[in-house]
Every structure is written in structure tokens, then in C-alpha cells.
Amino acid sequence: MASLQAQEIRPYHHGDLSRALIQAGRRILEMGGPAALSLRAVAREAGVSPAAPYHHFKDKCELLEAIAKEGWMELTSAIAKARARAPDARAALTNIGVAYVCFARDNPALYRTMYDGACDRATMPDHAKKGDSGWRHVREALLEAGADPAEERDLELATIAAWCAAHGVAEMAGFKEFEPLKNALGGEEPFVRAVLEHVGIFAAMSRPKTPG
Amino acid sequence: MASLQAQEIRPYHHGDLSRALIQAGRRILEMGGPAALSLRAVAREAGVSPAAPYHHFKDKCELLEAIAKEGWMELTSAIAKARARAPDARAALTNIGVAYVCFARDNPALYRTMYDGACDRATMPDHAKKGDSGWRHVREALLEAGADPAEERDLELATIAAWCAAHGVAEMAGFKEFEPLKNALGGEEPFVRAVLEHVGIFAAMSRPKTPG
DNA sequence: GCACCTATGTGAACGGTGTCAAGATAATCT
DNA sequence: AGATTATCTTGACACCGTTCACATAGGTGC
């Protein structure tokens, strides 16, 4: 019944428990999904009593947010890398979308945790909009692909649209119904790419302006 | 501390407890969100002991699925109505999208419950694909809007894309960051319509075929 | 070195949860 | 009517989030 780590005799004070708790939480998330992520389980996994986390996080919710924050930062860096690797501006947007969906596929429980927090507060996390953020990468990719910088409203609408589409695909791409099509297209990534390109904003950037 | 209903002296046997439990569950969902939806709370709300639900649902999960099923049926009928009301085939698709997002906005907790179940099983619910389903409505709307019936693969990709986009918008349209834009566009529904139209598949049905 | 303060850990406890087994009660079938 | 079956209740179990009082360790001023 030993915990998976931290079995070396730990000193009474841990040293960096908040960090250890976040890592333990992510480990549990990967192994057992969001349902397995109880505060007590995290404490157990970190080799610490159930009350210890309360000296570092006021809430279970606050720990979840710390875990989610890590996820957002990693998602941002995946987006940045995908954009940097693109051969041209038009490809960048699709690359970002594919990277986004792949991140969600590779870290499903983490991704759910990230968005659950966002939905509960009805807010994008800070890291998605400010500074070096995924949001900004999408916006800039749209501009480089030919969006009119003078039409701020259209640009914001397009950014929202792209983000929403990627999120939708991210949450649904794993559904079993799509397996035949996935196989027909030669795997998961081509499938995701094809869906994203059908969504439109990723492929049809240069269509005539929307009326309005 | 009285329960909200069922205070008339109920006979020992309820009569139609499973139905009452589903209704109680929906009431709790509306008032307190998904977090408030415990099996015991549902039993309390229905005026029944905590173990009673187990004679009708093997699990908490099974009750949630029953609640979600109701949600899917109502969503389907909202989609059907929206499609029927559209002046022409092209408008039908956008109308469906708007109806979808509005349903999610008006029943946020129910919508979350519906999709949580789907995500856990990595499957669309039966009612979304078979028979008179939202899925089929989208597919038919795409065909009527000019999709090539011979290109089955493209049609399925487009259906997936439209559904994913609507889902993404549904989950994010309530975010606070978008309020300024919402106001600028004259309210929630115009905002949703604009985002959906920017997503592309809803407006750019007639663009040239995708390569591949 | 020593007393003290603060940060960080432990243990036990509270009410809440999902679930189950055993028993009570009512409807139904013969 | 008696027996069977479906339904509901009571009571228990382990787990959960959270809080409290207390124990321990690291650091600071003397």
C-alpha cells in the first residue's frame, strides 16, 4: 500500500510541498482521470497528511487552479512552437489548431480540469489572454494570414471563432463514432486537420468580409 | 427545512419514482448547478430515502444519464424547430447553430451534464445520431445548402466540424471577456450569430472543395 | 546558546457523499 | 387467503472536504 514515491524518510517539513502537491495531482489526473483527483488522494500521493495541503492552498479549488495554470502554460508553449514551425502564415493557424487539439488528446484529464475551472468562473484564465498567450498567438496568426488590422471587431470575432472551434474539436475528436473516418483519413492527426479545415476559419481566411 | 414539493403525505410506494427523481435532479441542477447534484440531494428533493433511487438506477451515473437523455431530446427538438423556421437552406444551418448555443446558455448545468456523460464514455449519446436526431438535422441542412451528396467523406467532415464549432461556442459564449463585444453587437444572440458565421462552416458552405 | 515567533506538519473530528445489506411495507399473482 | 415480488427505510461502511487543536522545525533577536 505504499505511495508511489516520497518513501525515503522525509523530514518533518517537506521543503516545497506546494510544488510536490501539484505534481502529485497531475500524476493522479493522468492515472485515474478527474474523478480520482481528491485532495486526500493528492496528499497521500505526496506522502503527507490530509490537512497539510491547507497550509499551501485555501481550497481544493485553489489546488486545481494551480494545476490548471501549469496546463495553460504548457498549452501556450505548444501553440507557440506550432506557430513557429509553420512554413507560412496561412499554415500557422491550422498548425496552431492541430497543436491545440493534440494537447487536449495527450492530456485529456488535465485539459478537462483546465476548462472546468474556466467554465466555473466564466472566464478565460489570465494566461490565455495576457502576455505570451495562446490567445495572442491566434490573433497574430490571423493578422499575418491577412486579416484586416483596421477591423478590430472582425479580428476579435475571428479569434473567438478559431478558439471556440479548436475547443469543440478538442473535446469531441476522441469520440468513438469518428474512428472509421479517422482510419480512412490515415490516423488521428490527419483527421483533426481535416475537421479543422472544414470548420472554415482555419482554411477560409481569405473569403469576402462578413456583412455587418 | 421542508423539501420543495411532495409534502402531501405520500403513500409508501411512490408510483413513478424514477420520473420524479429525474425531475428532482433537473430542479437541483437548475438551482445549484452540477456541484449540487448529489444522489442524496435528489432523493431528499423527491421526498424519499437515500437508498430508494437504487431500485430505479443502478448508479448515480445512470441517473445522470437519464437526466442527460432528456436534455438531448429537448436539444434535438430545439434544433428541429430552428431548422423548420429558417427561410432558406443556407439560413437553416446558422439557425441550428444559434438554437444549439441558446439551448446551452439557457440550460447550462444540464448541458454540462449532457456532455460530461458523453466525454466519459467518449461517445455521442444515442439520441444525437440515430433517428430524429440533431446530428441528422445538421447533415440534412448541409445537403440542402448545397453539399455534394456523392462526397460522403466531405459531408461527414462538415457535419463533425459544424457540431464541434457549435459545441465550442456553446461552452465559451458566456465568458466575461466577450461582454464588450456582445454589447457592441447588440446582445447575446447577434454575438453568437456573428461568431458562428465567422467560424465558417455556417457561412462558407459553398467554398471550393478541400484538397485531399 | 537561548527564547521566541512563525511556518509547516499531524491527528482527530464534523457533516456530507455513494453504496450496500437487511428488514419493513405494499401491490400483485395464484 | 397466502405467497411472491417490487418498492421503500434504516443503518452501516468507507471516502470526501474542511476545520480545529496541537506538535515540530526553521529562523530571528538577544
Side-chain angles (χ1 to χ4, degrees), chain A residues 112 115 119 121-124 129 154 161 163-164 167-168 171-172 175-177 197-201 207, chain B residues 112 115 119-124 129 163-164 167-168 171-172 175-177 197-201 207:
Chain A
R112 286 281 221 87
Y115 253 96
C119 288
R121 300 190 315 285
T123 306
M124 304 279 296
K129 291 215 76 173
D154 258 19
W163 197 276
C164 289
H167 171 62
E171 282 210 322
M172 302 184 62
F175 283 9
K176 297 194 186 77
E177 284 84 355
E197 278 167 359
H198 267 79
V199 171
I201 191 72
R207 73 179 191 283
Chain B
R112 283 285 225 64
Y115 252 96
C119 287
D120 287 349
R121 300 189 315 285
T123 307
M124 304 279 299
K129 292 215 76 169
W163 197 276
C164 289
H167 171 61
E171 282 210 322
M172 303 186 60
F175 282 8
K176 296 193 186 80
E177 283 84 355
E197 278 167 0
H198 266 80
V199 171
I201 191 72
R207 73 179 189 283

